[in-house]
Structure formats: C-alpha cells, structure tokens
C-alpha cells in the first residue's frame, strides 16, 4: 500500500517493545499487590461513621485540620446531602462516647454544631464488600468477553478482555505503590475505566474488521496498522477532552473525590495505550486473518457479507 509507506508513524513496528512493556508493568503491579497490598479505605475495613449538622457551612479542610490536631489519623470528612451536614468516618471502632468526643473537638474551635447520629460498621461488612467488588469486576470482564465474541469474533473477544484486565491491574498496582486509599469511589472508577477502555477498543476493532473485508492486503499487521491510523485522531481527541475534565475534577473537586479522579486519569492514559497496542498485539498473536471475518451465507442465497458497508457512524470518523 503506497500510502502506508508514507505514514509518519508505524504503530506495529513497536509491537514487540510494547508487548514487553505491558508484561513488565503487569508483573510489577502484581508483585506490588502481593507485597504491599492496597491501602483499603473505611468502606472495606469498617469503622465509625459520625453525622454532624453545622449552623453554617463549614470549611472541610478546617474540619480535617481540627481532627488531625485532636490526634485522629485515619478518617474521611465529606459533605452529606447538604452544605451544613458533614459526615466523619473514622477507622476506630467506637460508640456514642467516640462520637461525643469528635463533636466536642470540633466545637472547641467555636463552631456551632450538633451530633445527628453515629454508627459503627464492622469489618465483616468490609470483607463482604471486598468479595462482592472482586466478583463484580470478574462478571464485568466475562460479560464483555461474551458480548465482543458474539458481536465480532472470539479472537476479538480475547483481544478486548485482556486489555481491560491489563488496565485494571496496572491501576491497582499504582495504588499499591503509592498506598493511595482504595475505597468504593475508586472501585467505581475501575468499572468506569472498563467501560471507557472497551469503547476505544470496540471502535478500533470495528475498523479492523471492515478493513479486513475491504482492503486487498494480505498482511494482517499492515491492515491493523492502517486501521489504527484511521481511528487515532478520534482516540486522541476523546482521551484529551476526557483528561481535561478529570484534571479539573482532581484539582478542583476536593479531597473526597481525589482518588476517584486519580484512578480515572491513570485509566484513561493506560486504556488509550492498551486499545492501540495490547488489543492489536493480541490480534496479531492470535493469528487473525481475513477468513475470520467471513460471515456465513444468508439462508436462501449464496451470498455472504463480503459487500457489507461499514456503519454510517464509522464513515463519518
């Protein structure tokens, strides 16, 4: 193909170095998870939840500073339903006395507030959450495998699920490395990353399938490379605009959603990389060919799907 020789960047030329990089990152992430583990938040470890009502909306940073000065180290402070309602969650197991101590410590600064309620969550609930969250991630990956296998072809299903697992493991590895708190908001971010990365991978896979049917090129690597070039502008634009929003969330959204935004930022960067290299590498390694794209003839006709036109939304990209 004459145009491909003029391409400014040959993605598939870096296929093997990219594969080595992915393997190294995943192995390091697994080692970090096995040795350091995740710094689990109160959602998973249990603790005491104290709900307070202020007369005037408080500055959450000042509330955190007051609790730190009072000797509390593991806690989460966030608004709860209204600007004047504050939820304080502590890793300590406690009772009404602990809630009263928290209230007294915060009132010592002159703030007018009252204790609304306090509740203790045991570690058993946290253990159930860990099991359910892990099961939820596995089910999500299994559903993706089935969907893509039915929508495209089984090789495409494998090439879609492995990058998703790759992205999730690397994000978990980064959280284990820096010991950032892993709570339910980060778990929600992981599920969002799965959806985001899958969307990118499906767009590339759809173009690869169409090009296998339309282009008279025998080399699968060249077809995949051409498909990536046709979709790369869309991928970069989508990732770039998403990152702008996530960076705004991280810097302006407050401490309560910092880790959520961090997980998504890492996921968007790694997911963009994996949709280009991990997925494409797997298709080449699995030996995808034009024969895999052949659709069985329609009943009553001798014609297959060779002349099927690409979807209209794909042509506009």
């Amino acid at each position: 193909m004459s145009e491909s020789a003029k391409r400014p960047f040959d993605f598939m030329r870096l296929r093997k170095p990219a594969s080595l990089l992915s393997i190294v990152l995943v192995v390091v992430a697994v080692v970090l998870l096995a040795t350091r583990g995740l710094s689990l938040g109160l959602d998973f470890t249990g603790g005491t939840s104290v709900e307070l009502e202020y007369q005037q909306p408080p500055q959450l940073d000042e509330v955190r500073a007051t609790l730190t000065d009072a000797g509390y180290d593991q806690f989460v402070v966030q608004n709860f339903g209204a600007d004047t309602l504050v939820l304080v969650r502590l890793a300590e197991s406690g009772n009404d006395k602990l809630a009263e101590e928290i209230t007294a410590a915060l009132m010592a600064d002159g703030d007018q507030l009252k204790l609304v309620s306090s509740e203790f969550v045991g570690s058993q609930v946290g253990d159930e959450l860990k099991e359910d969250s892990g099961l939820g991630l596995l089910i999500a990956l299994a559903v993706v495998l089935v969907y893509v296998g039915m929508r495209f072809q089984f090789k495409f299903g494998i090439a879609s699920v492995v990058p998703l697992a790759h992205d999730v493991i690397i994000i978990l590895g980064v959280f284990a490395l820096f010991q950032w708190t892993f709570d339910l908001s980060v778990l929600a971010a992981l599920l969002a990353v799965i959806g985001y990365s899958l969307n990118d991978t499906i767009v590339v896979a759809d173009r690869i399938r169409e090009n296998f049917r339309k282009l008279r090129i025998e080399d699968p690597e060249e077809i995949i490379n051409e498909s990536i070039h046709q979709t790369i502008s869309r991928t970069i634009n989508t990732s770039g605009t998403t990152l702008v929003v996530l960076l705004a969330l991280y810097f302006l959204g407050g401490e309560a959603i910092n880790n959520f935004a961090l997980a998504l930022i890492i996921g968007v960067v790694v997911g963009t990389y994996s949709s280009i290299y991990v997925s494409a590498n797997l298709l080449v390694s699995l030996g995808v060919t034009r024969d895999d794209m052949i659709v069985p003839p329609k009943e009553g006709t001798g014609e297959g799907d060779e002349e099927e036109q690409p979807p209209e939304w794909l042509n506009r990209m």
Side-chain angles (χ1 to χ4, degrees):
M1 182 175 179
S2 58
E3 290 186 5
S4 9
K6 301 178 183 178
R7 295 293 186 189
F9 192 80
D10 184 1
F11 289 97
M12 288 295 96
R13 181 171 58 86
L14 298 178
R15 186 173 73 85
K16 292 182 179 179
S19 298
L20 180 61
L21 174 63
S22 294
I23 292 172
V24 169
L25 288 176
V26 170
V27 170
V28 170
V30 171
V31 170
L32 286 170
L33 288 169
T35 56
R36 292 174 62 87
L38 292 170
S39 176
L40 297 176
L42 301 181
D43 298 317
F44 297 104
T45 60
T48 301
S49 175
V50 180
E51 185 179 342
L52 305 166
E53 183 177 7
Y54 284 72
Q55 287 189 356
Q56 299 295 328
Q59 295 294 324
L60 297 185
D61 289 339
E62 295 179 3
V63 175
R64 297 184 184 103
T66 300
L67 292 176
T68 301
D69 294 340
Y72 301 100
D73 50 5
Q74 288 186 310
F75 58 83
V76 174
V77 178
Q78 62 191 75
N79 286 118
F80 183 68
D83 291 341
T84 55
L85 291 177
V86 173
L87 181 66
V88 179
R89 292 185 295 168
L90 303 100
E92 300 179 30
S93 60
N95 45 36
D96 292 339
K97 184 178 179 180
L98 176 61
E100 292 172 0
E101 291 173 354
I102 294 293
T103 305
L106 294 174
M107 291 182 68
D109 284 347
D111 292 324
Q112 298 298 314
L113 68 146
K114 66 177 181 179
L115 175 64
V116 177
S117 65
S118 64
E119 182 180 6
F120 171 69
V121 179
S123 59
Q124 182 177 357
V125 176
D127 291 338
E128 291 178 359
L129 278 176
K130 284 187 283 187
E131 294 176 1
D132 292 344
S133 60
L135 181 60
L137 287 173
L138 291 176
I139 291 175
L141 294 176
V143 170
V144 169
L145 175 62
V146 173
Y147 164 72
V148 179
M150 295 175 62
R151 177 69 175 82
F152 294 92
Q153 201 261 356
F154 185 71
K155 292 178 181 178
F156 280 87
I158 297 294
S160 296
V161 169
V162 172
L164 300 183
H166 164 278
D167 299 345
V168 169
I169 291 173
I170 290 178
I171 294 172
L172 292 176
V174 173
F175 269 75
L177 174 63
F178 295 104
Q179 288 295 288
W180 291 330
T181 302
F182 184 90
D183 53 22
L184 286 179
S185 68
V186 179
L187 175 62
L190 289 181
L191 294 174
V193 166
I194 289 177
Y196 178 89
S197 184
L198 176 63
N199 178 63
D200 251 2
T201 302
I202 290 296
V203 170
V204 177
D206 211 356
R207 184 56 60 94
I208 290 173
R209 181 180 64 172
E210 297 302 329
N211 282 339
F212 262 109
R213 293 174 178 174
K214 295 194 309 180
L215 300 181
R216 301 306 174 186
I217 302 174
E218 296 301 326
D219 185 6
E221 285 193 31
E222 192 172 349
I223 292 178
I224 292 174
N225 201 45
E226 178 66 19
S227 302
I228 293 174
H229 274 291
Q230 292 174 1
T231 56
I232 191 64
S233 60
R234 179 262 178 205
T235 299
I236 293 176
N237 290 337
T238 302
S239 299
T241 53
T242 304
L243 280 175
V244 169
V245 175
L246 292 176
L247 288 171
L249 277 177
Y250 177 74
F251 289 108
L252 304 176
E255 184 177 333
I257 62 171
N258 271 8
N259 287 344
F260 172 79
L262 268 175
L264 284 175
I265 289 170
I266 299 169
V268 169
V269 174
V270 177
T272 301
Y273 160 82
S274 67
S275 66
I276 296 174
Y277 277 112
V278 180
S279 180
N281 282 348
L282 283 170
L283 286 175
V284 174
S285 300
L286 291 171
V288 66
T289 63
R290 190 183 308 276
D291 293 338
D292 295 321
M293 307 298 116
I294 296 177
V295 177
K298 298 178 182 179
E299 186 176 355
T301 71
E303 302 176 356
D305 199 27
E306 187 69 24
E307 298 181 358
E308 179 186 5
Q309 296 299 317
E312 184 178 350
W313 64 269
L314 200 56
N315 287 327
R316 292 196 299 265
M317 289 173 44

